Amino acid sequence: MKLSRPTVGPIVGFTTPNESRIWFRGQFEPVSPNSYRRCFGVIRWGEKTKKVTEWSSKVGKLSPNFDMTGVFPVTGLKAECTYQYQVGWFLADSELDAARTIIQFDWSDLETFTFTAGTTDQNRSRVYAVGSCRYLLRLFGGLIFDDRGDKTFESILELHKKTQVNAVLMVGDQIYADDLKFMGADRDVQSFLNRYQAAFTQENIARLMSQIPTYMILDDHEIEDNWPSHASSADMVTKYPSAIHAYQIYQASHSPVFSLDNSGWITGTPTHLLYTFSDGCADWFVMDVRTERIWNDDPLKRQMIKQSQMKALLNWLAANPGRVKMIVSSVPFFPDLNSDAEDKWGGYQRERTQILDYILQNKIRKVCFVSGDVHCSFTTQLTSPVDKDFRVLSIISSSLFWPYPHMEQNDFVLKGALTSNSQNQYTVTSSTQIYSEDNFARLEVFPDAVTVTFYERKGSALGRPIKLVF
């Protein structure tokens, strides 16, 4: 049976020393107004050698409820071994028992991709490409999408050829579902799905995600600008469920949010969007700071995250002392903006203070926040006179592509006391130059430091590497 190439993907998602999750999309073929031919996905993989002689394979159904996509967990890997793989799909008129059906597949028309399994060395430094805010503007009445932002991903690929990038972190606004604001904003499921298909099939982002493990989290533009500050009751039962369903299909499904069942397939219905993973010397906590918000005019009643997420974060911070703690927050944890700060952590000081006080009181070291959202890039640090060894780092990397004015240095409070409601004092210090152009960040995380280099969209380094010592 001849296999067809995926219509979107593949995407290499959550990857460990012995597992990697590969996502891709097949295709709908209607047989009646409300039914479609059954679509099945196939993957095969093997160690990368001059000629693979032993392939492992997996067949699974692609669900029409999830836009004919599927996640294929590849297991039994060897740490730091490079694998090559192929993915494809076929249509059938009846169900298949994938565990017992033996089909001879023709793989000749399929592209071959590679990925590398994770490391078991818990002291190993790791390299990440980090970015956010990739604008994708509709052109010519919405018939096509602007592809200028795809150049950024080509630059990351060129960097990867020179020095291996172990993972990519996309920390928010992977799509702009509201690019034309209220005139052309996506509201129904199919519109959001079409947006993801356009965003993830541009040439360079597709090549990037097919070979480097990619981790994602949403921010506001996956739904609408500054969500949920302008949301109506109708939005909550129409736009929001549509946006989150599309987000779960295209971004969350290949993340660690889902667990594997005994047969090696992802399972369960997520009750939250946050997730954690470990890689080399670093532990990562990827926060959801967008869908759990509750705004209130009383600052003490505002909620950025639910209590369950707060508890999970604090427990994670306290666990495994001595390891690097990398926290993704799509909006900056600090510093604050000089104005219009209600959308960031500065508008939710009660919870921010709770987190900082916990880090201070429990003498938790090696904490670094990684954020996007604000369309400029820089690093800064937080210290406290209460404890000379207290230091929390902040790395902000944005935007991957934004064809309008960017934020600048005078938009931020880059030194002095951080506003809080705590008796403990926290001081913003050591802020670096702000880059107000499209860019991404290369992070090399060591057990005792993070080295940050910002690159502009076409690949040139913006200044020298910045070494942030824990």
Side-chain angles (χ1 to χ4, degrees):
M1 178 178 292
K2 202 169 191 64
L3 296 172
S4 298
R5 294 190 174 199
T7 54
V8 187
I11 297 174
V12 180
F14 175 45
T15 298
T16 71
N18 52 32
E19 174 198 344
S20 187
R21 300 183 183 182
I22 312 295
W23 174 101
F24 61 94
R25 181 180 184 270
Q27 182 171 290
F28 287 87
E29 184 172 308
V31 294
S32 69
N34 296 309
S35 65
Y36 305 91
R37 292 188 69 190
R38 293 163 179 82
C39 188
F40 295 87
V42 190
I43 184 170
R44 71 172 183 172
W45 69 96
E47 292 185 40
K48 185 181 179 183
T49 58
K50 291 183 179 180
K51 183 177 181 180
V52 179
T53 57
E54 293 186 15
W55 292 92
S56 299
S57 62
K58 209 167 192 175
V59 180
K61 188 174 182 181
L62 303 178
S63 173
N65 296 324
F66 297 99
D67 201 32
M68 252 7 150
T69 69
V71 178
F72 290 73
V74 172
T75 56
L77 306 180
K78 297 178 183 177
E80 300 186 66
C81 181
T82 298
Y83 290 84
Q84 56 186 6
Y85 71 100
Q86 294 178 294
V87 295
W89 57 272
F90 63 94
L91 297 170
D93 295 316
S94 61
E95 296 292 346
L96 300 179
D97 184 342
R100 287 181 285 183
T101 299
I102 299 176
I103 303 175
Q104 294 297 317
F105 294 115
D106 181 352
W107 301 85
S108 59
D109 286 347
L110 302 185
E111 188 174 352
T112 300
F113 306 94
T114 63
F115 71 90
T116 301
T119 180
T120 56
D121 184 350
Q122 296 190 358
N123 294 312
R124 179 72 60 85
S125 65
R126 305 298 274 172
V127 174
Y128 305 95
V130 175
S132 67
C133 307
R134 182 272 192 104
Y135 194 62
L136 196 69
L137 176 67
R138 289 182 187 270
L139 302 174
F140 305 107
L143 298 177
I144 61 173
F145 288 88
D146 187 346
D147 65 357
R148 286 175 293 170
D150 199 44
K151 178 65 178 178
T152 309
F153 302 109
E154 182 181 21
S155 298
I156 297 173
L157 283 164
E158 290 301 312
L159 185 67
H160 176 60
K161 291 178 182 178
K162 298 174 184 176
T163 57
Q164 182 180 8
V165 174
N166 299 117
V168 174
L169 283 102
M170 298 184 182
V171 299
D173 297 340
Q174 278 69 256
I175 63 167
Y176 275 73
D178 56 347
D179 63 346
L180 296 179
K181 299 298 181 183
F182 301 106
M183 292 178 57
D186 297 335
R187 299 192 63 84
D188 60 88
V189 171
Q190 192 57 54
S191 295
F192 283 102
L193 296 176
N194 291 345
R195 180 83 58 164
Y196 278 108
Q197 291 168 19
F200 287 0
T201 53
Q202 291 191 342
E203 179 183 0
N204 294 307
I205 190 174
R207 286 199 297 130
L208 180 76
M209 296 191 299
S210 71
Q211 59 186 283
I212 306 176
T214 302
Y215 299 84
M216 307 176 182
I217 192 65
L218 83 170
D219 197 30
D220 53 341
H221 291 286
E222 271 84 1
I223 311 168
E224 72 173 26
D225 187 30
N226 287 349
W227 179 266
S229 61
H230 306 299
S232 66
S233 56
D235 289 336
M236 288 295 187
V237 297
T238 55
K239 177 184 286 189
Y240 179 70
S242 297
I244 293 302
H245 183 63
Y247 167 77
Q248 290 184 345
I249 292 171
Y250 278 84
Q251 297 198 58
S253 60
H254 45 79
S255 78
V257 166
F258 294 88
S259 58
L260 296 188
D261 63 19
N262 292 332
S263 59
W265 295 95
I266 64 170
T267 186
T269 301
T271 57
H272 53 74
L273 300 180
L274 69 94
Y275 59 88
T276 64
F277 66 96
S278 295
D279 183 32
C281 66
D283 294 336
W284 288 83
F285 191 109
V286 181
M287 302 182 74
D288 168 18
V289 299
R290 189 53 67 178
T291 73
E292 299 180 0
R293 294 185 183 211
I294 298 175
W295 179 260
N296 194 293
D297 290 335
D298 181 352
L300 296 178
K301 295 181 180 179
R302 295 172 191 169
Q303 173 185 292
M304 173 74 84
I305 58 176
K306 292 180 179 179
Q307 280 299 309
S308 56
Q309 184 170 182
M310 178 66 77
K311 181 179 179 181
L313 174 63
L314 300 184
N315 289 342
W316 174 86
L317 281 165
N320 302 314
R323 286 183 58 76
V324 176
K325 307 283 187 176
M326 305 291 291
I327 304 172
V328 172
S329 167
S330 59
V331 298
F333 194 70
F334 71 92
D336 290 334
L337 276 67
N338 278 310
S339 61
D340 191 29
E342 292 182 351
D343 186 58
K344 322 306 179 196
W345 279 94
Y348 298 80
Q349 293 176 24
R350 175 183 60 84
E351 291 164 296
R352 180 170 69 178
T353 300
Q354 181 181 355
I355 295 168
L356 289 174
D357 283 353
Y358 188 86
I359 294 171
L360 177 69
Q361 292 162 7
N362 291 276
K363 298 185 181 301
I364 298 170
R365 311 304 187 202
K366 302 184 181 182
V367 178
C368 178
F369 284 87
V370 177
S371 305
D373 179 68
V374 290
H375 299 172
C376 63
S377 297
F378 61 102
T379 74
T380 189
Q381 301 183 38
L382 207 60
T383 60
S384 175
V386 178
D387 180 353
K388 65 179 179 61
D389 294 322
F390 173 91
R391 183 178 291 104
V392 175
L393 310 180
S394 176
I395 301 169
I396 295 172
S397 181
S398 174
S399 54
L400 291 165
F401 178 67
W402 178 249
Y404 303 109
H406 292 55
M407 285 191 171
E408 299 178 346
Q409 187 159 338
N410 59 9
D411 290 309
F412 298 90
V413 182
L414 296 176
K415 62 180 179 179
L418 184 74
T419 305
S420 73
N421 56 0
S422 173
Q423 294 181 344
N424 299 314
Q425 182 179 336
Y426 301 101
T427 305
V428 179
T429 184
S430 303
S431 299
T432 60
Q433 178 180 346
I434 288 181
Y435 296 108
S436 299
E437 55 252 277
D438 296 332
N439 69 89
F440 65 92
R442 178 189 185 272
L443 313 185
E444 186 164 8
V445 182
F446 300 90
D448 59 353
V450 181
T451 299
V452 184
T453 309
F454 294 110
Y455 292 85
E456 57 90 25
R457 182 168 64 96
K458 295 183 179 180
S460 298
L462 295 170
R464 296 181 178 180
I466 303 162
K467 186 174 183 179
L468 304 174
V469 180
F470 291 117

